[in-house]
Amino acid sequence: DAKTTQPPSMDCAEGRAANLPCNHSTISGNEYVYWYRQIHSQGPQYIIHGLKNNETNEMASLIITEDRKSSTLILPHATLRDTAVYYCIVRSSRGNYGQNFVFGPGTRLSVLP
Amino acid sequence: KAGVTQTPRYLIKTRGQQVTLSCSPISGHRSVSWYQQTPGQGLQFLFEYFSETQRNKGNFPGRFSGRQFSNSRSEMNVSTLELGDSALYLCASSLVGPGTAQRRTDTQYFGPGTRLTVL
């Protein structure tokens, strides 16, 4: 299964763009990159996913490098409510868990006023 | 559409007791997955049900079990509770089950969780 590496924590000033990096150097050609976030003690919230092209929705943008070994989640104008743990997940299509999500420790993003 | 609902939201039990948690998926979703979240171990996959059958299972003891009903609602049961079972139990629903090509892009949507405290 492709594993991901994220920085344990990041700070971002309110109103500025938050750029959250993720490394997934062992990703396979048909595996998607997913991003979720979890605000304290709530269920994880889906943000975005992509395969190889850049993706954008109302919440965020996802930039995947051409070799697909890393990606960046961009929150264009961070607010205090974006303070959360952000998880980057490569969805495996193999293994004992079938095609379920395997969550790592994520990045704790703190948006500062 | 209503989101994933979980009941109860909070629960306090004592060691040795058993507990049943309930999850109602998003309307039309047929797959339900359960996760345990603790400060020490993070988010860990328990099991997944699709079409009333357990399709995947994580590395948890047999005290953890579940089932799914014909309306896709799911329950999980923990017997002989231990202090270490104190956790946030999360349920997630998705449209399709494992083993299909659509699975790769099928998103899981999580409920608010049930906070279980074992005393």
Side-chain angles (χ1 to χ4, degrees):
Chain A
D1 298 348
K3 296 194 188 307
T4 62
T5 305
Q6 300 177 253
S9 64
M10 292 181 61
D11 291 339
C12 175
E14 188 178 18
R16 305 295 292 267
N19 297 283
L20 293 96
C22 179
N23 285 321
H24 32 78
S25 59
T26 59
I27 193 170
S28 299
N30 64 352
E31 292 178 325
Y32 280 72
V33 179
Y34 279 76
W35 283 83
Y36 280 80
R37 73 180 182 183
Q38 187 174 25
I39 297 169
H40 182 62
S41 292
Q42 297 180 21
Q45 178 188 22
Y46 165 77
I47 301 174
I48 199 167
H49 72 276
L51 182 64
K52 54 185 177 183
N53 298 319
N54 298 338
E55 301 287 346
T56 297
N57 62 21
E58 64 278 4
M59 288 184 68
S61 294
L62 174 60
I63 309 297
I64 303 174
T65 57
E66 194 168 338
D67 63 7
R68 302 211 326 121
K69 293 185 177 182
S70 65
S71 60
T72 301
L73 179 74
I74 300 172
L75 308 178
H77 305 287
T79 70
L80 299 179
R81 284 186 284 186
D82 292 322
T83 292
V85 177
Y86 287 77
Y87 298 99
C88 168
I89 304 161
V90 171
R91 190 169 205 177
S92 171
S93 58
R94 300 185 301 275
N96 292 333
Y97 300 154
Q99 298 165 322
N100 269 294
F101 292 104
V102 179
F103 286 80
T107 295
R108 183 172 298 278
L109 175 69
S110 298
V111 180
L112 308 174
Chain B
K1 277 187 182 178
V4 179
T5 58
Q6 293 187 245
T7 56
R9 292 293 311 280
Y10 301 91
L11 206 49
I12 299 175
K13 292 285 187 179
T14 56
R15 278 182 300 174
Q17 287 187 309
Q18 75 165 18
V19 66
T20 299
L21 312 181
S22 180
C23 172
S24 292
I26 292 171
S27 177
H29 283 195
R30 297 172 59 198
S31 172
V32 173
S33 295
W34 288 89
Y35 294 81
Q36 181 197 64
Q37 187 172 29
T38 60
Q41 299 298 319
L43 257 163
Q44 292 186 289
F45 170 72
L46 279 157
F47 31 64
E48 176 185 11
Y49 284 86
F50 179 76
S51 292
E52 302 176 62
T53 304
Q54 188 179 90
R55 300 305 180 110
N56 289 301
K57 189 177 188 305
N59 189 24
F60 279 82
R63 300 186 297 107
F64 292 82
S65 63
R67 59 178 177 168
Q68 186 180 34
F69 302 95
S70 58
N71 62 358
S72 296
R73 190 176 69 85
S74 177
E75 290 180 347
M76 69 161 281
N77 184 277
V78 188
S79 62
T80 320
L81 283 166
E82 301 176 359
L83 295 179
D85 297 333
S86 293
L88 180 67
Y89 289 88
L90 292 156
C91 161
S93 80
S94 59
L95 204 54
V96 301
T100 63
Q102 302 98 301
R103 175 72 162 209
R104 292 187 294 133
T105 59
D106 185 36
T107 301
Q108 284 191 352
Y109 295 93
F110 284 80
T114 294
R115 172 76 60 186
L116 172 65
T117 301
V118 181
L119 303 176

